[in-house]
Amino acid sequence: ISFVVETFNNFQLAQKELITDTGATGDKLRELEVSLADAQGNVAQNSQEVAQAIWELNTRLGLTGDELTEFTTKYLNFATVTGQDGKTAIADNVKMFNIWGVSTEKQAEYLDKLAKVGQLTGVNVSTLTNQLQQNQATLSAMGFTLDDSIALLSNFEQAWVDATSVLASMKMGVANLVEQWFTPAEAIEQIVDSIKNAKTETEGMDD
């Protein structure tokens, strides 16, 4: 009985949080409450955390209805798998996707890719997301897509390489490799192998 009471109280608190955060009333509030209830049964987070996620996605992406429920579930399960706070994971990844020009429809696909990279390589996905944000301009200037950049930066993390300090030096090296008929993906492999086998990061970039 105490569990049922606690669950009910948490849900009421979550409803109040939705009202406070979104300012929603009437039909709009009821729609958000339906998304809250539907998502709650598919995630590990409590009702208040789900309410925060719904507010974040409704505000940042303008999602409503079934789409809001689907994305809330997706982002919160992604946060659980990658060991992140749900609200932070949403804020950081939505910002990163906006910087890279990833459409809302494609975000779920990239969340799966990021989670898989984290599981296969052991890299911190939150750190990877922040690096993708911070280094987008440099990576794009070198011709790397988001997929290329995820591969590159996750390799850097595995090799204990400081991505920010190395990327500027990489710019010329990648350009030279591409001029030699390497694809960006092949250039990544060449550079990462060089760095892994070098005694210092500088030596690796000089090869």
Side-chain angles (χ1 to χ4, degrees):
I1 295 176
S2 61
F3 173 76
V4 174
V5 172
E6 183 180 355
T7 300
F8 178 74
N9 289 338
N10 285 338
F11 192 78
Q12 283 192 314
L13 287 172
Q15 288 176 310
K16 290 179 182 178
E17 188 158 339
L18 279 180
I19 295 170
T20 302
D21 288 342
T22 66
T25 58
D27 290 342
K28 183 177 181 181
L29 176 59
R30 281 189 286 275
E31 187 176 45
L32 293 176
E33 288 174 342
V34 169
S35 291
L36 170 62
D38 289 347
Q40 181 66 72
N42 297 309
V43 299
Q45 288 80 1
N46 64 40
S47 296
Q48 288 176 274
E49 291 172 310
V50 177
Q52 288 178 338
I54 283 175
W55 172 73
E56 287 283 341
L57 291 168
N58 176 256
T59 303
R60 293 176 183 275
L61 300 178
L63 300 176
T64 58
D66 291 342
E67 193 174 26
L68 177 57
T69 303
E70 179 185 343
F71 270 75
T72 300
T73 302
K74 187 69 180 179
Y75 264 101
L76 289 180
N77 285 332
F78 167 80
T80 298
V81 168
T82 57
Q84 300 183 66
D85 166 72
K87 185 176 180 179
T88 302
I90 291 169
D92 287 349
N93 282 281
V94 169
K95 181 179 179 181
M96 183 269 288
F97 290 141
N98 286 339
I99 291 172
W100 279 93
V102 176
S103 67
T104 301
E105 294 73 20
K106 284 281 189 180
Q107 289 188 18
E109 176 185 332
Y110 276 102
L111 290 177
D112 286 340
K113 289 180 180 181
L114 289 166
K116 186 174 182 179
V117 165
Q119 291 173 328
L120 292 177
T121 67
V123 301
N124 185 300
V125 176
S126 177
T127 299
L128 178 58
T129 298
N130 288 325
Q131 288 179 344
L132 288 165
Q133 279 184 38
Q134 296 162 8
N135 297 297
Q136 185 272 339
T138 301
L139 290 161
S140 292
M142 289 189 286
F144 292 137
T145 65
L146 178 54
D147 290 273
D148 295 330
S149 301
I150 291 171
L152 176 66
L153 295 179
S154 60
N155 272 297
F156 279 178
E157 280 289 296
Q158 281 187 288
W160 297 91
V161 172
D162 178 28
T164 302
S165 65
V166 171
L167 281 173
S169 301
M170 277 182 58
K171 208 168 183 178
M172 184 64 70
V174 171
N176 290 338
L177 287 171
V178 171
E179 283 180 5
Q180 296 171 35
W181 305 102
F182 284 92
T183 65
E186 290 168 338
I188 290 174
E189 187 175 354
Q190 288 281 325
I191 290 168
V192 171
D193 284 347
S194 178
I195 291 171
K196 283 181 176 178
N197 295 325
K199 294 178 182 177
T200 66
E201 291 176 11
T202 304
E203 179 184 332
M205 292 312 305
D206 288 341
D207 286 348

